[in-house]
Amino acid sequence: MESATATRPGSLSSDAPVRYKQVYLWHWPIRSMHWIAAACILTLIVTGFFIGKPYFFTSGSASEHFLMGRVRFIHFTAAGVLVATAILRVYWLFVGNKFERWKALFPLGKKSWVNMGRVTRSYLFLNPHEAPQYLGHNPVQQLSYTGIYVLGLLQVLTGFYMYGLSNPGGLFFSAFGWVGALLGGAQVARFVHHTLTWFWLIFLPVHVYLAVRADVLHKESTISSIISGQRTVRADVEFVDD
């Protein structure tokens, strides 16, 4: 859905204003899931590192403080909320608009792979203004986000398996015990779970940097679009996915 075009002073010439238009990209469920997932991931990172190696100490008996128990409760609560957002995201892959559906998660076709190389060169500041423009996710984003979803799924599976270890024969152990058997034991599952956390620590600053870079380079409200759902773009630019 597009709004009426707006006019802003342009930098190409003093007497030729640049025309802009607004495009509605992200429905409120997608925007809500984005920020809820971000909060959950940050919570999981902090509490996960604490569980792995506690760095606060309290005096007295464990029964008086129960710090680790509270941290684990917060950790698994955040995991449950994150899984709930993931389930809703899967549903939205089939009911969302063309920028939100499953086809937007995969760089399908030869043209997308060619454009992926052009976008990558742009990210590396090699011909940054010659990259094809996308309203939604470009092929590099499509591939990276899909990869992140796969890593997130693996981390959830290993996490729920380790949670089930506290009650062998319980629901979680019965449902996710196969994860430990597949990976070769609890220690391997814990190692995989912990290692994947570092991928998130790498992804998050890169994700923020690229979003800020897009706003600075193209001045098209990329960041605010995940808040309002609308993106302001130049009307004279041809977008591949328009």
Side-chain angles (χ1 to χ4, degrees), residues 91-128:
Y91 169 72
W92 212 254
L93 290 176
F94 299 93
V95 300
N97 62 32
K98 67 178 181 179
F99 304 108
E100 302 165 333
R101 288 176 177 259
W102 65 271
K103 288 185 178 180
L105 292 180
F106 301 95
L108 302 173
K110 179 179 178 181
K111 182 178 180 181
S112 293
W113 286 97
V114 172
N115 286 341
M116 183 185 299
R118 298 172 64 190
V119 172
T120 301
R121 289 194 295 271
S122 173
Y123 282 157
L124 297 175
F125 292 98
L126 304 174
N127 300 325

Side-chain angles (χ1 to χ4, degrees), residues 204-227:
L204 291 176
V206 171
H207 176 62
V208 173
Y209 160 73
L210 291 178
V212 173
R213 177 187 180 278
D215 261 13
V216 172
L217 189 62
H218 301 292
K219 298 179 175 61
E220 293 178 348
S221 63
T222 303
I223 296 177
S224 62
S225 68
I226 200 61
I227 299 175

Side-chain angles (χ1 to χ4, degrees), residues 14-174:
S14 58
D15 57 349
V18 178
R19 296 182 63 81
Y20 285 76
K21 63 181 180 180
Q22 286 189 323
V23 182
Y24 190 74
L25 294 179
W26 316 119
H27 287 93
W28 71 264
I30 288 290
R31 305 197 305 271
S32 301
M33 284 184 283
H34 175 275
W35 293 111
I36 293 173
C40 289
I41 290 169
L42 291 175
T43 301
L44 287 165
I45 290 174
V46 173
T47 55
F49 276 126
F50 179 87
I51 293 171
K53 188 174 182 180
Y55 42 84
F56 295 120
F57 298 92
T58 58
S59 59
S61 65
S63 61
E64 294 176 347
H65 300 284
F66 199 55
L67 179 59
M68 179 61 75
R70 292 192 179 93
V71 172
R72 290 181 76 251
F73 175 78
I74 294 172
H75 187 79
F76 289 110
T77 299
V81 175
L82 183 62
V83 170
T85 64
I87 294 173
L88 183 57
R89 182 66 184 100
V90 171
Y91 169 72
W92 212 254
L93 290 176
F94 299 93
V95 300
N97 62 32
K98 67 178 181 179
F99 304 108
E100 302 165 333
R101 288 176 177 259
W102 65 271
K103 288 185 178 180
L105 292 180
F106 301 95
L108 302 173
K110 179 179 178 181
K111 182 178 180 181
S112 293
W113 286 97
V114 172
N115 286 341
M116 183 185 299
R118 298 172 64 190
V119 172
T120 301
R121 289 194 295 271
S122 173
Y123 282 157
L124 297 175
F125 292 98
L126 304 174
N127 300 325
H129 297 288
E130 295 181 8
Q133 298 298 306
Y134 286 79
L135 289 171
H137 296 142
N138 63 52
V140 173
Q141 293 170 325
Q142 292 171 1
L143 192 63
S144 62
Y145 292 161
T146 302
I148 284 296
Y149 291 154
V150 173
L151 293 179
L153 175 61
L154 181 57
Q155 195 158 25
V156 166
L157 292 175
T158 54
F160 282 170
Y161 161 70
M162 290 188 293
Y163 182 74
L165 291 175
S166 62
N167 182 26
L171 175 62
F172 277 87
F173 187 83
S174 299

